[in-house]
């Protein structure tokens, strides 16, 4: 028995938490020959009638199925989980399901989860039929979700679909992770994942090999995050085709990052039909992509017409704007690595390429930017009024022409000039004692007014600066880079910068990048004032603040000894923070490493944070936040919140925290809310692949958070839902490693724990778990060496 105690705690699904139905009990046979369709539908009808959360279990084996329609329109509302250990197999005769829209179809559901399983549609015979030119059915999509919310698909494998593999249509809050899609490279119309008319969709850690688009993004998609995907063979990741209809919804707020394309026909693509349309594609971000022998690595095609059949041969009405391509490198299988074929009626605007490095046969790949039948005079006019400038490749072969509302240079063309500004030229002194504030502001004013991309250079040395406010409202909107080889030093007298609440402030700027440098706020004297009970101590200044800004990059920056928060991102869009180091004493008060609030599309990667408060804190109004590759400690961990301090408050959603090491922190991953009335929420959160070392509260939801006394002593109105903890392991320095202290008024729902293994430090025995108000059950339940066995909390 004693030997068992040294094992880590293994979380598992409790039979108390949800009703569980095994398809075998309803007559399904796992032999791959007996039709199990009726058995599956009987299970569904029973699950549909239940008022409790339901888990449908599909054990190991092969289950032969015709078309299934899991319709929740008449079901009692509750979460439904499909846990599939076996394989679902379509009939070998493709005609059985070939005229259906879907093979497996989910619709009108709120809270549906599919774990695991192999879906084998056996589509090869239909592909052969289509290739032969015979009269064949269109084919069925393997699995579809329509008009549903709060959908999770995890660990599913789709094989040999007749048509599309996975379709998300008219849904909200969908998460796909660990999905595998496999089909032959010449299989027709077998898109891996298709998203349309849906909002807040994320695709993570997925591998797709197929005969069409790995991921295709249709009209009406808003808020899509794609990360860590391997694509190939296939046609790449495509927005579109758009503009097939004259009245059509647009696509917006799409991020595609950390994707590897291997042997695909295209890489990242936006495609639209050449015909009138009210649609659009805007606020698109492609970043950190690797191309391995890809046909068209970067492509905008507004004259899309597959196989040149039934081409409308008009002009596309789709408006494409604000598209960012950054850190895209590798090899092109064609000479033109970047092709932007835009509409002359609705020219592309706001196209930005940064750090794009593509080669063809070991030489730089060429680029093409064009209208159909372009006019040189018209182009000259566009150039004259260009507001945005881009750093890499665009050439209309064989002539070096520049088109649309952007300027791009090629290795074969003369580069666009960049203005370099050295702060020494404006009187800055690198001696650490001369006030260089005015010199830095003067350099900014010149950069702000420049019509060319500008780089502000801060050379080696120590530059003493007071409060710096870099305003962007009157700037020309050309990119500004600040390259810092030296250090910026705040005055030793903390009162000089503390009075302004922020030391270095960028307000309403666009396309600003900071590379390298050390920001030393010299905050230790203010910490001593606070820690010694000084009643007249100022609150302190944040070291670096971006507010109301777009397209921000912070790379390789070091922030030390901040008076208050180190880096703050407030009301910003498209922010990338990479390779940052934050350092302050463990007892430094309120020195959060990175704080995000009211911001969208924020990525924090490969950073090391040790401080006296949260390593990363995520405040109200933040959506689509990705945190990956972080070392945290000392500090208070990574926190969502505190939320709910105000009654009318925005929520937090679509946050992923992955590959993080916590060392000796006060908390690990935490969601905290004030115990008071609020309309706020925290939902669609994923914490995964996390290592805890001597952490006090590795996993905590605290809905009675109170920092200031007296506490409100009410119940939190913040709704915490759809939170997933996966692959979290290590050691806890407290007996209770998992604490879910939820609100009686708004109990936590949709909490899922998978592969959570935590042991007590020193004694090396399993840690405990505590749950309060997890979906309204008994308070303060502590079950030694086992998880909280609560309804709607699934732990495996």
């Amino acid at each position: 028995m004693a030997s068992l105690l040294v094992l880590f705690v293994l979380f598992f699904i409790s039979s108390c938490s949800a009703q569980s139905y095994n398809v075998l009990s309803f007559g399904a046979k796992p032999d791959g020959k007996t039709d199990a369709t009726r058995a599956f539908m009987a299970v569904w009808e029973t699950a549909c009638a239940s008022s409790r959360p339901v888990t449908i279990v599909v054990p190991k084996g092969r289950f032969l199925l015709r078309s299934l329609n899991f319709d929740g329109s008449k079901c009692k509302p509750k979460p439904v989980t499909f846990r599939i250990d076996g394989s679902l197999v379509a009939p070998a005769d493709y005609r059985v399901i070939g005229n259906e829209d879907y093979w497996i179809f989910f619709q009108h559901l709120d809270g549906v989860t599919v774990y695991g399983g192999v879906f084998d549609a056996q589509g090869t015979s239909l592909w052969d039929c289509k290739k032969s030119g015979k009269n064949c059915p269109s084919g069925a999509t393997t699995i579809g979700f329509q008009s549903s919310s709060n959908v999770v698909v995890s660990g599913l494998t789709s094989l040999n679909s007749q048509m599309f593999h996975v379709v998300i249509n008219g849904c909200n809050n969908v998460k796909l992770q660990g999905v595998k899609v496999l089909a032959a490279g010449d299989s027709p119309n077998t898109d891996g994942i298709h998203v349309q008319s849906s909002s807040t969709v994320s695709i993570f850690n997925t591998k797709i090999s197929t005969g069409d688009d790995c991921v295709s993004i249709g009209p009406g998609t808003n808020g899509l995050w794609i990360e860590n995907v391997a694509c190939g063979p296939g046609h790449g990741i495509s927005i579109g085709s758009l503009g097939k209809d004259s009245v059509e919804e647009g696509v917006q707020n799409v991020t595609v990052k950390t994707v590897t394309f291997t042997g695909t026909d295209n890489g990242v693509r936006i495609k639209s039909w050449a015909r009138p349309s009210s649609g659009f594609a805007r606020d698109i971000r492609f970043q950190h992509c690797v191309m391995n022998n890809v046909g068209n690595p970067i492509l905008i095609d507004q004259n899309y017409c597959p196989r040149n059949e039934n081409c409308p041969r008009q002009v596309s009405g789709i408006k494409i704007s604000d598209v960012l391509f950054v850190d895209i490198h590798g090899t092109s299988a064609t000479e033109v690595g970047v092709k932007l074929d835009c509409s002359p009626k609705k020219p592309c605007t706001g196209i930005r390429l940064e750090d794009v490095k593509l080669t063809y046969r070991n030489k730089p790949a060429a680029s093409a930017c064009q209208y159909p039948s372009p006019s040189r005079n018209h182009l000259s006019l566009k150039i004259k009024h260009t507001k945005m400038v881009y750093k890499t490749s665009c050439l209309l072969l064989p002539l070096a022409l520049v088109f649309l509302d952007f300027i791009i240079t090629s290795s074969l063309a003369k580069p666009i000039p960049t203005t370099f500004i050295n702060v020494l030229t404006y009187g800055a002194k690198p001696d650490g004692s001369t006030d260089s504030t005015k010199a830095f502001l003067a350099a900014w004013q010149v950069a702000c007014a420049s019509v060319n991309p500008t780089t502000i250079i801060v050379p080696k040395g120590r530059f003493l600066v007071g409060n710096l406010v870099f305003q962007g409202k009157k700037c020309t909107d050309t990119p500004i880079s600040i390259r810092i080889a030296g250090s910026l030093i705040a005055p030793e007298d903390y009162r000089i910068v503390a009075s302004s609440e922020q030391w270095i402030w960028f307000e309403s700027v666009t396309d600003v990048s900071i590379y390298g440098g050390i920001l030393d706020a010299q905050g230790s004297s203010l910490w001593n004032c606070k820690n010694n009970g000084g009643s007249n101590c100022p609150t302190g200044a944040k070291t670096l603040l971006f507010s109301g800004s777009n397209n921000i990059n912070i790379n390789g920056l070091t922030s030390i000894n901040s008076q208050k928060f180190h880096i703050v991102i407030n009301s910003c869009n498209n922010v990338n923070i990479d390779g940052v180091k934050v350092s302050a004493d463990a007892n430094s008060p309120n020195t959060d490493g990175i704080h995000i609030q009211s911001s969208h599309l924020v990525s924090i990667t490969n950073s090391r944070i040790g401080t006296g408060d949260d390593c990363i804190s995520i405040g109200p109004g933040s959506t689509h936040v990705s945190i990956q590759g972080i070392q945290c400690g000392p500090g208070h961990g990574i926190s969502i919140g505190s939320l709910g301090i105000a009654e009318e408050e925005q929520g937090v959603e679509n946050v992923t925290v992955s590959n993080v090491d916590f060392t000796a922190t006060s908390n690990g991953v935490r969601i905290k809310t004030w115990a008071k009335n609020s309309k706020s929420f925290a939902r669609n959160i994923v914490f995964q692949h996390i290592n805890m070392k001597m952490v006090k509260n590795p996993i905590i939801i605290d809905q009675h958070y109170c920092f200031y006394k007296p506490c409100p002593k009410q119940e939190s109105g913040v709704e915490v839902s759809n939170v997933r903890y996966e692959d979290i392991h290590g050691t806890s320095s407290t007996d209770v490693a998992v604490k879910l202290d939820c609100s009686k008024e708004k109990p936590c729902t949709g909490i899922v724990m998978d592969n959570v293994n935590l042991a007590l430090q020193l004694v090396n025995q399993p840690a405990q778990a505590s749950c309060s108000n997890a979906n309204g059950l008994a308070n303060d339940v502590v079950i030694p060496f086992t998880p909280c066995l609560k309804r709607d909390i699934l732990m495996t």
Side-chain angles (χ1 to χ4, degrees):
M1 183 66 180
S3 62
L4 294 176
L5 294 179
V6 301
L7 296 175
F8 287 161
V9 59
L10 300 177
F11 290 96
F12 57 91
I13 299 179
S14 166
S15 60
C16 305
S17 63
Q19 289 181 308
S20 180
Y21 301 108
N22 192 311
V23 295
L24 299 181
S25 301
F26 291 77
K29 303 293 183 183
D31 56 11
K33 300 177 182 179
T34 305
D35 188 344
T37 307
R38 289 186 178 181
F40 273 67
M41 290 309 302
V43 172
W44 176 252
E45 290 172 2
T46 302
C48 180
S50 174
S51 59
R52 294 171 57 187
V54 172
T55 297
I56 296 174
V57 178
V58 181
K60 292 182 178 179
R62 291 172 62 81
F63 296 86
L64 179 64
L65 295 170
R66 291 177 283 109
S67 297
L68 290 169
N69 183 357
F70 299 119
D71 188 345
S73 58
K74 297 181 180 180
C75 294
K76 294 181 179 179
K78 78 284 184 176
V80 178
T81 299
F82 287 77
R83 191 168 287 273
I84 307 173
D85 295 320
S87 298
L88 310 185
V89 184
D93 183 350
Y94 61 78
R95 292 169 296 185
V96 176
I97 66 169
N99 289 308
E100 302 288 343
D101 290 332
Y102 296 92
W103 175 30
I104 312 293
F105 188 40
F106 297 86
Q107 62 176 329
H108 306 302
L109 292 165
D110 186 358
V112 59
T113 301
V114 179
Y115 287 117
V118 175
F119 290 63
D120 185 356
Q122 302 205 84
T124 54
S125 57
L126 178 58
W127 309 339
D128 292 339
C129 176
K130 290 182 177 180
K131 293 172 189 175
S132 69
K134 297 178 181 178
N135 185 19
C136 313
S138 298
T141 289
T142 290
I143 181 170
F145 295 86
Q146 183 168 300
S147 303
S148 297
S149 300
N150 304 317
V151 177
V152 175
V153 179
S154 180
L156 179 147
T157 298
S158 177
L159 300 177
N160 300 327
S161 183
Q162 290 190 350
M163 202 172 173
F164 292 7
H165 286 258
V166 182
V167 168
I168 308 298
N169 184 19
C171 295
N172 180 51
N173 291 336
V174 179
K175 187 163 294 172
L176 298 95
Q177 56 189 10
V179 171
K180 293 181 181 178
V181 171
L182 299 173
D186 61 349
S187 54
N189 301 113
T190 54
D191 293 46
I193 300 172
H194 178 73
V195 182
Q196 181 168 319
S197 301
S198 298
S199 60
T200 315
V201 178
S202 57
I203 302 170
F204 292 101
N205 306 323
T206 291
K207 184 175 182 179
I208 304 174
S209 301
T210 188
D212 211 295
D213 294 330
C214 291
V215 181
S216 54
I217 303 158
T221 300
N222 183 5
L224 172 63
W225 189 285
I226 300 171
E227 183 172 0
N228 196 21
V229 172
C231 171
H235 294 181
I237 293 180
S238 296
I239 295 176
S241 55
L242 305 179
K244 196 166 186 179
D245 297 322
S246 60
V247 179
E248 184 179 275
E249 291 183 296
V251 173
Q252 58 187 330
N253 297 323
V254 175
T255 294
V256 177
K257 65 177 295 187
T258 319
V259 177
T260 300
F261 298 87
T262 303
T264 52
D265 291 358
N266 306 287
V268 291
R269 174 169 61 156
I270 302 174
K271 55 181 178 176
S272 72
W273 292 85
R275 56 167 43 130
S277 178
S278 61
F280 58 83
R282 64 189 179 212
D283 297 326
I284 315 296
R285 185 173 185 170
F286 301 106
Q287 62 180 18
H288 313 316
C289 295
V290 177
M291 306 289 174
N292 295 318
N293 197 36
V294 172
N296 299 289
I298 296 176
L299 175 62
I300 295 178
D301 180 6
Q302 293 209 258
N303 292 283
Y304 173 75
C305 184
R307 299 177 298 277
N308 288 318
E309 297 175 358
N310 301 316
C311 299
R313 305 193 186 282
Q314 301 175 56
V315 176
S316 177
I318 297 293
K319 175 63 176 175
I320 298 176
S321 61
D322 297 323
V323 184
L324 170 65
F325 302 91
V326 62
D327 184 25
I328 298 177
H329 57 276
T331 56
S332 173
T334 56
E335 187 175 3
V336 178
V338 178
K339 183 178 180 181
L340 309 181
D341 183 7
C342 297
S343 166
K345 181 179 180 181
K346 294 284 184 71
C348 303
T349 59
I351 310 298
R352 175 181 170 188
L353 288 87
E354 285 193 5
D355 191 22
V356 176
K357 300 175 182 177
L358 297 166
T359 61
Y360 170 65
R361 295 181 179 177
N362 296 319
K363 295 181 180 180
S367 305
C369 300
Q370 61 184 348
Y371 297 126
S373 303
S375 163
R376 290 295 301 271
N377 292 333
H378 182 61
L379 296 175
S380 299
L381 181 63
K382 286 290 184 181
I383 294 170
K384 183 176 180 181
H385 292 93
T386 293
K387 294 183 178 179
M388 304 189 72
V389 182
Y390 305 90
K391 299 182 178 179
T392 53
S393 53
C394 212
L395 182 69
L396 177 62
L397 299 179
L399 300 175
L401 301 179
V402 184
F403 297 91
L404 313 181
D405 192 24
F406 52 80
I407 298 177
I408 305 178
T409 69
S410 169
S411 58
L412 305 178
K414 184 178 179 180
I416 296 299
T418 297
T419 302
F420 292 93
I421 299 173
N422 194 313
V423 295
L424 299 181
T425 305
Y426 295 87
K429 303 293 183 183
D431 55 13
S433 57
T434 304
D435 188 345
S436 297
T437 306
K438 291 183 179 180
F440 274 71
L441 292 175
W444 174 260
Q445 290 299 321
V446 174
C448 177
S450 175
V451 295
N452 292 327
T454 304
T455 298
I456 298 175
I457 297 173
V458 182
K460 292 182 179 180
R462 291 168 58 85
F463 295 86
L464 177 66
V465 293
N467 296 109
L468 293 172
V469 180
F470 299 121
Q471 279 281 356
K473 292 181 179 179
K474 297 182 180 180
C475 292
T476 58
D477 287 339
T478 55
I480 298 175
S481 297
I482 303 174
R483 295 193 173 270
I484 308 174
S487 301
L488 276 60
I489 313 295
E492 289 187 5
D493 185 348
Y494 58 77
R495 293 170 295 184
I496 294 176
V497 299
S499 59
S500 296
E501 296 188 3
Q502 44 269 332
W503 175 28
I504 301 171
W505 183 13
F506 291 84
E507 183 181 23
S508 301
V509 300
T510 299
D511 296 324
V512 169
S513 299
I514 299 176
Y515 297 100
I518 297 174
L519 305 183
D520 184 357
Q522 303 205 81
S524 57
S525 56
L526 178 58
W527 310 338
N528 292 334
C529 176
K530 292 180 177 180
N531 291 333
N532 292 328
S535 59
N536 295 319
C537 307
T539 301
K542 308 170 189 73
T543 290
L544 177 64
L545 168 65
F546 280 88
S547 65
S549 299
N550 300 300
N551 304 329
I552 305 302
N553 289 290
I554 304 172
N555 192 296
L557 178 75
T558 297
S559 175
I560 61 176
N561 301 328
S562 184
Q563 290 188 356
K564 200 178 178 185
F565 294 3
H566 286 257
I567 300 173
V568 173
I569 306 300
N570 185 22
S571 300
C572 297
N573 290 297
N574 290 335
V575 179
N576 183 53
I577 301 173
D578 183 69
V580 165
K581 294 181 181 178
V582 172
S583 179
D585 288 349
N587 65 348
S588 55
N590 300 115
T591 54
D592 293 45
I594 301 173
H595 178 71
I596 306 162
Q597 184 163 320
S598 300
S599 296
H600 313 285
L601 298 175
V602 179
S603 171
I604 305 172
T605 54
N606 308 317
S607 295
R608 184 173 182 176
I609 304 172
T611 187
D613 211 297
D614 294 332
C615 291
I616 300 173
S617 54
I618 304 169
S622 299
T623 67
H624 289 94
V625 178
S626 175
I627 299 169
Q628 185 171 1
I630 307 297
Q631 294 181 11
C632 173
H636 295 181
I638 294 180
S639 294
I640 294 176
S642 55
L643 305 179
I645 197 168
E647 183 171 359
E648 298 292 335
E649 183 180 273
Q650 292 179 305
V652 173
E653 60 184 330
N654 295 320
V655 175
T656 297
V657 178
S658 180
N659 298 103
V660 178
D661 291 325
F662 295 90
T663 302
T665 51
S666 300
N667 304 285
V669 290
R670 175 169 59 157
I671 300 173
K672 56 180 179 176
T673 75
W674 290 84
K676 59 194 306 182
N677 294 329
S678 179
K679 296 179 181 178
S680 189
F681 57 82
R683 64 192 179 206
N684 300 326
I685 316 295
V686 175
F687 300 108
Q688 63 182 2
H689 313 314
I690 292 172
N691 180 46
M692 306 283 182
K693 185 177 181 181
M694 301 179 294
V695 174
K696 287 185 178 180
N697 299 291
I699 296 175
I700 181 170
I701 295 178
D702 179 7
Q703 292 209 258
H704 298 87
Y705 173 77
C706 182
F707 181 74
Y708 302 105
K709 306 295 182 180
C711 297
K713 294 182 180 180
Q714 303 175 49
E715 283 300 316
S716 177
V718 177
E719 183 176 353
V720 178
S721 62
N722 296 332
V723 183
R724 180 175 180 83
Y725 302 88
E726 180 181 6
D727 184 25
I728 299 177
H729 56 275
T731 56
S732 171
S733 59
T734 50
D735 290 346
V736 179
V738 178
K739 184 178 180 181
L740 309 182
D741 183 11
C742 299
S743 167
K744 293 180 182 179
E745 180 181 333
K746 292 286 182 69
C748 301
T749 60
I751 311 298
V752 178
M753 296 197 176
D754 189 1
N755 189 23
V756 177
N757 304 314
L758 295 165
L760 290 176
Q761 179 190 354
L762 301 178
V763 296
N764 196 30
Q765 70 180 26
Q768 302 176 14
S770 170
C771 296
S772 300
N773 302 307
N775 214 33
L777 297 187
N779 295 341
D780 300 321
V781 175
V782 178
I783 307 174
F785 316 125
T786 61
C788 306
L789 305 182
K790 311 297 278 183
R791 186 197 319 167
D792 205 28
I793 298 183
L794 308 182
M795 304 183 181
T796 63

